[in-house]
Amino acid sequence: SVLEEFQMEEFKERCTQCEAVSWGLTDEGKYYCTSCHNVTERSKEVINSDIIPNAQIKALNRGLKRKNNSEKGWDWYVCEGFQHILYQQAEALKNLGVGPELKNDVLHNFWKRYLQKSKQAYCKNPVYTTGRKPTVLEDNLSHSDWASEPELPSDVNSPFLESGMESQSDVHTRKSLRISKALQSETSVCSGSLDGVEYSQRKEKGLVKMTVPQTLAFCYLSLLWQREAITLSDLLRFVEEDHIPYINAFQHFPEQMKLYGRDRGIFGTESWPNYDDIYKKTIEVATFLDLPRFPDITEDCYLHPNILCMKYLMEVNLPDEMHSLTCHVVKMTGMGEADFLTFDPIAKVAKTVKYDVQAVAVIVVVLKLLFLLDDNLEWSLSNLAEKHNEKNKKDKPWFNFRKWYQIMKKAFDEKKQNWEEARAKYLWKSEKPLYYSYVDKPVAYKKREMVVNLQKQFSTLVDSTPTAGKKSPSSFQFNWTEEDTERTCFHGHSLQGVLKEKGQSLLTKNSLYWLSTQKFCRCYCTHVTTYEESNYSLSYQFILNLFSFLLRIKASLLHEEVSLVEKELFKKKYSVTKKKSKSKKRRR
């Protein structure tokens, strides 16, 4: 317009970002660079409006104004963003019944230890050597600008902090990762955080960079240290049910923390957390932090296989009498020993037990011992149980595998269908959209508004019933009670139909057993064995699919764990197969 051209002629200063002299005028009367879209605080007052016909003069003030926090927000660093996510996750776990010590002591100490090891804080020369230091780096948070905002409480007496002298690696890191003024001006254009560009480009050998999935690894390490009654599969399921912030967790950031540009790739995630991935990240983080041996997992801990086996037996509606058999398998394999179960990151080979997967694998092995699961014997034993129950209706009923299979398959199919529908309807786009630059903000919010309107219209056409609210958290996905007349509860059923007495002990009527894996890989590869469904019986496939759904894992992962339990249980059988294979090679 004539007004804009008139004012542009008088404003000849160079842009502080790109040094160009090409200015436009915003609706608020502020100058912005048409080259890099940097908005200045400078505005122009028009003294004589007579020379500009039809021009509407608004309140334009001369000179610089104070920074408008609502537009550009605070200066903040990436690690501060992850601290907010960890805080929200810790609060969510507290609401689920976890003790406050997890947030106040354990998780906070782990986080401080990470900041120190990654040279972001608590070391002599942190990577942030210019500009404002991140608030999380200040020892006295009460005097920081963020004291009123959510953050993990400070604990200067952390047992994991080191106060060693500066090493050569510290010097190298400080020199290579210094944030110059030029870089800070670049990040203000390319990301909302001051170090978004630098963080995405930072690559050092041995460095574990924080990601959104890594926050769950920190949470699980804290739960494991406290020996809380939440397994890794429970944690991921609570994330899936939206009880723990994960997808679009940045929505919980303060309004003044603006995210755009490189922040999209750092804090934006559009996939569900994977069990195996979080498990590996847990070990990776614990090793990077040089954490000591964790507290022992003893028989009275929730994570002990004897307790978890009872929990999953109840969940899948199997007889209570099976618990004594699972305990026997745990004892024979040595999987209940504290040294086997306790996580030790500083051991030669750092590994932790997949407690929930291991417990389920033990149950699968016991089912194979009782029913063989070869699509033949289990149905024959079911016929015997059915005949006995018809003749002896007043006695304790024998467990009928066929009847259990029919009831569980119906319940499993319904649960899985609801789960798949919920996933299909999940709104991945956040209410607080991420955009590439500040100029793209209006477009991003407009697109988000259009998406929400379309989703409302589509849901009205497809299904008139309103979407169910968030489910209340529970450790159980299936519930079985004796009072339920529509579905049979098998908890009190007897195993007499599949067991026989011999002296004072009980033996299985089935004397056969087939190994899930005949031969393990001799090389140090990442897999134990391959799982092809077509090579196994339908009943075995159903058992694996049922339990893998409960844990939200792949059936192949459970099959591998079953193979490892069998390897410990049938050591003699495997040693015989090894000797046979060696003798065959010698003959050749």
Side-chain angles (χ1 to χ4, degrees), residues 74-273:
W74 292 332
D75 290 341
W76 62 281
Y77 289 88
V78 170
C79 59
E80 292 174 308
F82 283 117
Q83 174 168 294
H84 276 278
I85 294 177
L86 285 171
Y87 174 86
Q88 295 296 336
Q89 291 173 342
E91 281 293 307
L93 288 171
K94 185 179 176 182
N95 294 334
L96 290 172
V98 175
E101 299 83 12
L102 181 134
K103 183 189 76 170
N104 298 343
D105 300 327
V106 183
L107 181 57
H108 184 241
N109 288 338
F110 286 170
W111 178 238
K112 290 174 71 176
R113 176 69 170 163
Y114 172 79
L115 293 174
Q116 182 191 50
K117 296 289 288 184
S118 59
K119 301 190 174 55
Q120 298 181 70
Y122 305 109
C123 58
K124 283 207 166 186
N125 294 287
V127 294
Y128 303 102
T129 56
T130 62
R132 184 189 69 79
K133 286 186 178 182
T135 307
V136 291
L137 312 188
E138 299 179 15
D139 288 328
N140 190 358
L141 293 179
S142 61
H143 295 295
S144 69
D145 295 331
W146 289 32
S148 61
E149 296 301 325
E151 50 191 28
L152 298 176
S154 177
D155 180 11
V156 294
N157 298 320
S158 170
F160 302 118
L161 297 183
E162 297 176 353
S163 57
M165 299 299 290
E166 180 182 15
S167 62
Q168 291 182 355
S169 61
D170 291 332
V171 178
H172 174 74
T173 304
R174 176 166 51 89
K175 290 180 179 179
S176 61
L177 295 171
R178 177 163 299 158
I179 304 177
S180 63
K181 291 183 180 180
L183 182 57
Q184 285 192 20
S185 61
E186 178 190 354
T187 54
S188 64
V189 177
C190 300
S191 68
S193 57
L194 288 175
D195 61 333
V197 174
E198 181 227 9
Y199 188 86
S200 60
Q201 295 174 348
R202 186 180 179 187
K203 293 179 181 179
E204 295 175 49
K205 188 176 181 180
L207 174 67
V208 176
K209 288 176 64 174
M210 273 300 292
T211 60
V212 178
Q214 295 279 22
T215 60
L216 294 181
F218 271 88
C219 289
Y220 183 58
L221 278 174
S222 304
L223 291 168
L224 191 56
W225 184 274
Q226 288 293 96
R227 296 180 292 183
E228 292 285 350
I230 296 180
T231 62
L232 179 55
S233 60
D234 289 333
L235 178 68
L236 301 189
R237 183 166 54 83
F238 291 146
V239 167
E240 184 181 279
E241 294 174 356
D242 209 20
H243 297 298
I244 298 176
Y246 180 79
I247 304 293
N248 301 324
F250 58 85
Q251 291 186 128
H252 303 284
F253 286 5
E255 185 62 30
Q256 292 84 353
M257 287 179 66
K258 306 297 181 181
L259 283 85
Y260 56 86
R262 292 295 181 94
D263 301 327
R264 289 170 58 98
I266 298 173
F267 295 102
T269 177
E270 292 190 354
S271 62
W272 297 106

